[in-house]
């Protein structure tokens, strides 16, 4: 039976090609994901271990420039540590944001990954954390060093003047050297600026203090003993760990971080393989149907049902092994490609070999072979049931009425249960997402089971149109599409699954995007928003500069604050009375002008929940623990961009040692324009670290990530859709093979080659559009249900059906049908009619 299985695989090479391709794509996705994440994890673990190679003990504190109560590591403490027996060197570190301008004045890097730190040479005059490839480290207040990638992007050379922004005004420094580093922020596409230590301390902490320290041990010294001695010299707020412990901790964090990426990519691989199951099952069903006489004769000459079943499963196993080998090789190429893509997107991956773990190999081959064999199990079972007497007839075995009734009954029950679960989950709100997920899976399985039954009435609706537009070719195409409902259903199911996911994601993404866009449009009156690219607070000097900028007609900061009333904390914003000119703030009672009199404004819902009303005087405790009273001057309708309590900025300033101005919102004379924007940029000193965003930029910032996420999802789901297309090609090709005699008769009675091609193409379009319509309907339903669970947390939420995208999906589905039919239609048209008529 093994020889028989191998002979059948070799005899049907062309017909099994599409099945092999489907498995290859799925296996490549699985193996590529595992190899890529293993390689990435190994490279980062090695980088982490290397960075702690010479570290015996690392000390960290929570010291902050804005908080004088939490101490850092003083120079005196560092000197005591360095004097301990067994300590070779003790290096203090301090760091923060530093943005470098390129030749056009734009920020190099991504904001959060732009860092600055201190250059701390040891006894040998070098800092072991950095290797200089040109020049030397900064040794004066007006000198800096840059990492190699930043210097290259900015076209800077040693001796050049470089504009650097920290949390204050931009300053110019002389470039003293260029270095290489394994710093994670630089590898992520950011930049690193090294300052002389006193300069860095003044910029990021306090003179003579460090935030962190690394201690290297002398030969033979014990890490644990050093750790105990170092801890004895530190304040209670400081934390100390051995270098080994930190390396292990970072390795765990890397593994945890990569597991999310791994899970996401494998989820899409699973979707692709699930779609591939339909193609594989369809292929083996058709192969078994075409070999009815052969299998029946095998039974007649003594083969048992078990042997026939085993023969078909062995065929599937051979196909699975071949596809797994090819898929695994392609997966290695995919892993290398993903690694290169990271570099192209600005991320620098640490050097390291390609890691091919036993898990990746076992998973690739296990998945490839297992999926293929499982998909072929039902066709194998049917093959085993073929009676020997069937060898006397050329008619293929057809499904019994009993089996069809049972199938449709099970499908209807599953579809109803799944639909009920989805509706119940949507009604449950945010707690119903799991129920929706389970219901969606059950409903999808139910619809897939029912698709053969659905195909007849749905395709019957378009049959008159096809006949009217395309004549005999259209009529025959519609009839052929429902001749074998199971085959049509299995082919359409693959497209339906892919388009269910794509449509659901599109409905949800567009709905959320427009809700966010409406919130931005409805709540903001300002022409511009000013922020730090790093996400850090703006310096008070920036606010003063903007107040003097030409063309500014209204301005209000959002200064983060909080107050305590009756023991409860309430988030607040320090603002000016102009807040009502830059935001759509509607007063319910009182007037927001009262902010100018030292009174506060409270959101209507917050006031109601606390029993406050206009005119009330509230006993408050400020951030510096001082007590006082504040009068409620106005209640206003909540605005998504404002905190529930608005306080005059001067009151907030009186209780903060350093203002936390997260944003500045302003209106300009004549609205947003290039000249007004340039005036603001000039007023801020052409600071590359400060973002000047107009209303469109603000909308893009809040809604852009949704479009980006949608594009990533579309790209990953493309794999499933490609497999679905292969399914259409495979079904049509094997259908043409089965119908050679019929096509020959049609040619003999006058159907020319052009109309034969049209018939096959229309059949493909009908099947593709049928699957697409089912997928779009299910996807829209799921998008609505998931949206209902998010409704309470998104103001102004309203379901949006993206008709333009849905129309595009249907057009693409029709195009898929046309393209998938090219080869089968050409093969059908080229058939010799006399030879075809004689074919059994």
């Amino acid at each position: 039976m093994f020889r028989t299985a191998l002979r059948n695989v070799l005899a049907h090479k062309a017909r099994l090609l599409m099945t092999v391709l489907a498995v290859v794509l799925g296996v490549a996705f699985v193996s590529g994901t595992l190899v890529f994440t293993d390689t990435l994890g190994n490279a980062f673990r090695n980088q982490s271990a290397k960075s702690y190679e010479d570290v015996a003990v690392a000390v960290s504190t929570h010291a902050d420039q804005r908080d004088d109560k939490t101490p850092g590591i003083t120079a005196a403490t560092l000197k005591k540590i360095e004097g301990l027996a067994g300590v070779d060197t003790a290096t203090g570190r301090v760091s923060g944001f530093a943005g470098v301008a390129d030749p056009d004045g734009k920020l190099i890097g991504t904001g959060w990954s732009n860092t600055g730190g201190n250059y701390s040479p040891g006894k040998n005059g070098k800092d072991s954390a950095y290797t200089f490839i040109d020049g030397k480290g900064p040794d004066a207040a007006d000198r800096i060093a840059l990492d190699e990638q930043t210097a290259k992007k900015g076209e800077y050379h040693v001796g050049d003047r470089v504009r650097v922004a920290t949390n204050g005004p931009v300053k110019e420094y002389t470039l003293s050297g260029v270095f290489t580093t394994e710093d994670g922020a630089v590898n992520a596409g950011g930049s690193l600026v090294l300052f002389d230590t006193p300069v860095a301390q003044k910029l990021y902490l306090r003179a003579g203090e460090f935030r962190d320290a690394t201690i290297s041990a002398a030969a033979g010294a014990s890490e644990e003993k050093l750790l105990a001695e170092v801890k004895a010299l530190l304040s209670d707020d400081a934390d100390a760990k051995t270098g080994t412990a930190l390396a292990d901790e970072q390795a765990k964090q890397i593994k945890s971080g990569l597991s999310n990426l791994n899970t996401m990519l494998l989820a899409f691989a699973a979707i692709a393989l699930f779609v591939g199951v339909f193609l594989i099952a369809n292929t083996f069903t058709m192969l078994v149907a075409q070999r009815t006489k052969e299998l029946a004769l095998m039974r007649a000459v003594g083969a048992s049902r078990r042997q026939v079943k085993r023969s078909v499963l062995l065929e599937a196993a051979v196909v699975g092994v071949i596809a797994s080998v090819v898929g695994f090789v392609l997966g290695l190429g995919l892993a290398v490609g993903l690694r290169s893509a990271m570099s192209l997107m600005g991320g620098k991956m640490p050097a390291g070999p390609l890691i091919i773990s036993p898990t990746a190999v076992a998973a690739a081959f296990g998945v490839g072979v297992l999926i293929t064999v499982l998909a072929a199990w039902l066709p194998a079972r049917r093959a085993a049931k073929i009676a020997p007497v069937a060898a006397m007839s050329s008619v293929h075995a057809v499904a019994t009425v009993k089996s069809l009734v049972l199938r449709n009954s099970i499908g209807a029950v599953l579809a109803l249960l799944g639909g009920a679960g989805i509706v119940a989950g949507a009604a449950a709100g945010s707690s119903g997402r799991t129920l929706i997920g389970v219901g969606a899976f059950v409903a999808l399985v139910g619809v897939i089971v029912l698709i053969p039954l659905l195909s007849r009435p749905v395709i019957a609706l378009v049959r008159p149109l096809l006949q009217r537009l395309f004549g005999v070719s259209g009529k025959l195409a519609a009839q052929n599409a429902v001749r074998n409902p199971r085959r049509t259903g299995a082919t359409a199911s693959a497209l339906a699954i892919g388009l269910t996911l794509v449509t659901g994601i599109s409905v949800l993404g567009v709905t959320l995007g427009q809700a966010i866009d409406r919130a931005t449009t409805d709540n903001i009156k300002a022409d511009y928003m000013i922020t730090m690219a790093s996400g850090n607070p703006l310096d008070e000097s920036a606010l003063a500069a903007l107040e003097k900028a030409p063309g500014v007609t209204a301005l209000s900061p959002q200064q983060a604050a909080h107050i305590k009333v009756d023991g409860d904390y309430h988030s607040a914003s320090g603002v000016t009375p102009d807040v009502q000119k830059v935001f759509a703030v509607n007063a319910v009672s009182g007037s927001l002008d009262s902010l100018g009199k030292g009174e506060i404004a409270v959101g209507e819902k917050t006031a109601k929940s606390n029993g406050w009303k206009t005119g009330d005087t509230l006993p408050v405790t400020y951030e510096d623990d001082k007590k006082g009273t504040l009068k409620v001057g106005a209640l206003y309708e909540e605005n998504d961009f404002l905190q529930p309590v608005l306080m005059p900025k001067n009151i907030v300033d009186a209780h903060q040692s350093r203002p936390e101005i997260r944003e500045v919102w302003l209106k300009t004379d004549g609205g947003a324009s290039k000249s007004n924007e340039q005036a603001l940029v000039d007023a801020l000193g052409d600071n590359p670290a400060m973002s000047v965003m107009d209303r469109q930029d603000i909308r893009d910032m809040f809604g852009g990530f949704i479009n980006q996420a949608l594009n990533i999802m579309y790209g990953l789901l493309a794999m499933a859709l490609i497999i679905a297309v292969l399914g259409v090609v495979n079904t049509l090709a094997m259908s043409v093979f089965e119908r050679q005699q019929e096509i020959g008769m049609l040619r003999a009675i006058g159907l020319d080659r052009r109309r034969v091609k049209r018939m096959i193409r229309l059949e493909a379009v009908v099947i593709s559009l049928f699957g697409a319509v089912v997928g779009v309907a299910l996807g829209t339903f799921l998008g609505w249900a998931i949206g209902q669970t998010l409704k309470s947390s998104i103001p102004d939420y309203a379901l949006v059906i993206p008709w333009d995208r849905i129309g595009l999906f249907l057009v693409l589905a029709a195009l898929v049908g046309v393209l998938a039919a090219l080869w089968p239609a050409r093969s059908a048209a080229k058939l010799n009619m006399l030879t075809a008529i004689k074919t059994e």
Side-chain angles (χ1 to χ4, degrees):
M1 296 309 291
F2 178 76
R3 288 198 301 272
T4 302
L6 191 60
R7 184 204 67 197
N8 284 326
V9 170
L10 296 173
H12 302 110
K13 294 187 291 292
R15 278 177 269 175
L16 288 168
L17 177 63
M18 298 302 172
T19 298
V20 170
L21 283 174
V23 181
V24 162
L25 289 173
V27 169
F29 213 147
V30 171
S31 58
T33 294
L34 293 174
V35 170
F36 172 66
T37 51
D38 285 345
T39 300
L40 199 62
N42 181 70
F44 280 119
R45 280 192 297 273
N46 288 342
Q47 181 192 56
S48 173
K50 186 178 178 181
S51 64
Y52 289 110
E53 198 171 41
D54 298 323
V55 177
V57 177
V59 180
S60 60
T61 70
H62 301 288
D64 192 296
Q65 196 173 35
R66 296 186 297 269
D67 181 12
D68 295 327
K69 297 177 182 177
T70 307
I73 304 165
T74 63
T77 302
L78 200 63
K79 195 169 183 179
K80 288 179 183 177
I81 292 172
E82 200 163 16
L84 292 171
V87 171
D88 184 25
T89 60
T91 306
R93 299 291 183 194
V94 63
S95 61
F97 170 75
V100 181
D102 66 13
D104 296 325
K106 302 298 182 184
L107 183 69
I108 296 174
T110 53
W112 64 268
S113 59
N114 294 323
T115 56
N118 64 305
Y119 178 69
S120 184
K123 297 171 185 175
N124 60 358
K126 295 180 181 179
D127 189 328
S128 59
Y130 312 105
T131 302
F132 279 80
I133 57 173
D134 192 13
K136 61 179 183 178
D139 54 7
D142 66 339
R143 293 178 177 273
I144 60 163
L146 291 177
D147 68 274
E148 183 184 15
Q149 294 301 317
T150 302
K152 190 179 291 183
K153 290 174 185 175
E155 301 176 7
Y156 292 122
H157 303 90
V158 172
D160 287 350
R161 297 289 285 175
V162 182
R163 296 176 70 246
V164 179
T166 51
N167 289 328
V170 180
K171 292 184 180 179
E172 278 199 355
Y173 299 85
T174 300
L175 183 62
S176 66
V178 177
F179 59 88
T180 59
T181 178
E182 292 298 323
D183 185 274
V186 174
N187 286 332
S191 62
L192 177 59
V193 182
L194 294 181
F195 299 92
D196 187 36
T197 294
V199 175
Q201 288 176 321
K202 185 178 178 182
L203 284 171
Y204 300 125
L205 196 56
R206 288 175 287 274
E209 284 190 32
F210 298 96
R211 185 175 289 118
D212 308 306
T214 54
I215 299 146
S216 62
S222 164
E223 280 191 355
E224 295 299 332
K225 184 181 177 183
L226 273 182
L227 177 64
E229 291 176 346
V230 168
K231 277 186 173 181
L233 298 174
L234 301 174
S235 66
D236 294 337
D237 295 320
D239 184 32
K241 293 181 180 178
T242 63
T244 304
L246 277 172
D248 292 342
E249 191 177 287
Q250 200 165 83
K252 288 179 183 177
Q253 289 173 352
I254 290 167
K255 185 177 180 181
S256 175
L258 289 174
S259 68
N260 295 329
L261 173 66
N262 209 22
T263 302
M264 183 185 76
L265 291 175
L266 287 176
F268 284 98
I271 292 167
L273 287 167
F274 184 55
V275 172
V277 164
F278 293 94
L279 192 159
I280 298 164
N282 223 9
T283 300
F284 278 95
T285 297
M286 288 186 279
L287 285 174
V288 167
Q290 290 167 10
R291 288 159 45 201
T292 299
K293 290 181 68 174
E294 176 191 329
L295 293 171
L297 283 169
M298 287 174 63
R299 290 290 315 283
V301 297
S304 66
R305 286 188 173 185
R306 182 177 295 178
Q307 285 177 310
V308 171
K309 184 178 178 180
R310 192 184 301 155
S311 171
V312 177
L313 291 178
L314 278 171
E315 283 182 55
V318 171
V319 170
V321 169
I322 294 169
S324 295
V325 171
V326 178
F328 187 73
V329 173
L330 281 179
L332 296 181
L334 179 63
V336 173
L338 286 171
R339 191 172 177 174
S340 301
M342 280 187 67
S343 299
L344 290 174
M345 289 187 292
K348 181 187 172 187
M349 185 171 164
L354 200 67
I355 302 299
I356 304 172
S357 66
T359 303
V361 177
F365 282 84
V367 164
V369 175
L370 187 65
I371 288 292
T372 313
V373 171
L374 284 177
W377 184 78
L378 276 176
R381 189 168 173 271
R382 291 194 196 106
K385 287 184 175 181
I386 295 174
V389 73
M392 307 300 295
S393 171
S394 61
V395 179
H396 297 159
V398 295
T400 63
V401 172
K402 181 181 176 182
S403 69
L404 290 174
V405 169
L406 180 63
R407 176 189 177 120
N408 294 335
S409 300
I410 292 172
V413 170
L414 289 175
L416 287 172
L417 284 174
I422 292 170
V423 172
S430 58
S431 61
R433 287 167 202 160
T434 302
L435 186 56
I436 289 175
V438 174
F441 180 76
V442 174
L444 194 59
V445 171
V447 170
I448 288 167
V449 174
L450 278 175
I451 270 186
L453 177 66
L454 295 173
S455 64
R456 288 186 181 277
V458 173
I459 294 175
L461 291 174
V462 298
R463 187 185 300 169
L465 180 64
L466 288 173
Q467 187 171 349
R468 191 177 303 115
L469 293 176
F470 303 103
V472 174
S473 296
K475 180 180 180 180
L476 291 172
Q479 289 175 344
N480 290 334
V482 293
R483 177 183 293 183
N484 190 329
R486 280 185 172 176
R487 182 186 303 166
T488 298
T491 305
S493 293
L495 272 171
I497 293 167
L499 280 171
T500 294
L501 297 170
V502 169
T503 306
I505 289 168
S506 296
V507 169
L508 192 60
V510 171
T511 298
L512 292 178
Q514 291 201 17
I516 291 171
D517 193 53
R518 278 195 303 274
T520 306
T521 305
D522 295 345
N523 291 312
I524 295 174
K525 291 182 180 179
D527 296 319
Y528 292 100
M529 177 179 75
I530 315 297
T531 61
M532 287 291 289
S534 62
N536 291 332
L538 287 155
D539 190 78
E540 191 80 27
S541 61
L543 183 60
L546 289 168
E547 287 173 342
K548 298 174 185 176
V552 174
T553 57
L555 176 147
S556 178
Q558 276 235 62
Q559 186 168 328
H562 68 263
I563 55 173
K564 190 161 66 171
V565 183
D566 296 329
D568 294 327
Y569 282 95
H570 298 275
S571 297
S573 289
V575 297
T576 69
D578 278 352
V579 68
Q580 56 194 319
K581 296 179 182 177
V582 295
F583 289 106
V585 188
N586 300 316
V588 177
S589 65
S591 171
L592 288 165
D593 291 333
S594 61
L595 288 166
K597 303 173 186 175
E599 297 175 355
I600 64 172
V602 181
E604 185 181 19
K605 292 178 183 176
T606 301
K608 186 176 180 181
S609 64
N610 288 279
W612 302 338
K613 60 183 183 299
T614 303
D616 285 354
T617 300
L618 309 178
V620 301
T621 302
Y622 296 103
E623 294 175 57
D624 57 0
D625 292 330
K626 291 183 180 178
K627 299 183 183 298
T629 58
L630 289 172
K631 184 179 179 181
V632 179
L635 301 184
Y636 63 91
E637 291 179 9
E638 265 80 356
N639 184 301
D640 299 328
F641 292 87
L642 292 171
Q643 295 297 338
V645 177
L646 302 181
M647 297 172 59
K649 184 182 183 304
N650 61 315
I651 294 179
V652 175
D653 286 341
H655 301 282
Q656 286 185 343
S657 58
R658 190 180 178 92
E660 288 197 40
I661 304 172
R662 296 293 176 182
E663 307 149 5
V664 176
W665 299 80
L666 47 89
K667 284 188 73 67
T668 53
D669 188 16
S673 65
K674 287 185 178 180
S675 60
N676 280 336
E677 183 174 339
Q678 189 59 50
L680 296 176
V681 170
D682 292 341
L684 293 168
D686 196 14
N687 191 324
M690 292 185 183
S691 299
V692 179
M693 291 184 279
D694 61 21
R695 294 182 72 177
Q696 187 57 51
D697 293 330
I698 296 166
R699 291 165 70 181
D700 292 342
M701 180 183 71
F702 286 110
F705 75 94
I706 292 178
N707 291 328
Q708 189 177 10
L710 277 177
N711 291 333
I712 291 171
M713 295 291 186
Y714 289 156
L716 292 171
L717 287 172
M719 185 74 72
L721 293 175
I722 289 169
I723 293 174
V725 172
L726 293 176
V728 178
V729 175
N730 205 30
T731 297
L732 290 173
M734 300 189 81
S735 178
V736 167
F737 178 83
E738 281 182 3
R739 287 154 42 199
Q740 286 186 67
Q741 189 178 56
E742 176 191 318
I743 292 169
M745 289 294 293
L746 289 171
R747 293 273 289 110
I749 61 174
L751 197 68
D752 59 23
R753 288 183 175 179
R754 182 173 58 84
R755 284 189 287 180
V756 167
K757 284 183 181 180
R758 184 186 298 165
M759 175 184 73
I760 302 297
R761 282 197 296 266
L762 287 173
E763 183 180 344
V765 170
V766 167
I767 293 173
S768 298
L769 282 175
F770 170 56
V773 168
V774 172
V776 164
L778 274 174
T780 303
F781 181 44
L782 282 177
W784 163 80
I786 297 171
Q788 291 298 110
T789 68
L790 302 169
K791 192 174 181 179
S792 60
S793 58
I794 300 174
D796 302 322
Y797 177 91
L799 181 69
V800 177
I801 307 295
W803 295 111
D804 53 342
R805 297 194 189 197
I806 288 175
L808 179 62
F809 296 156
L810 295 175
V811 170
L812 288 175
L815 183 62
V816 160
V818 172
L819 294 175
L822 288 177
W823 173 48
R826 189 168 178 271
S827 299
K830 288 176 68 177
L831 285 174
N832 182 292
M833 66 180 75
L834 295 178
T835 305
I837 289 170
K838 292 189 292 181
T839 302
E840 291 191 14

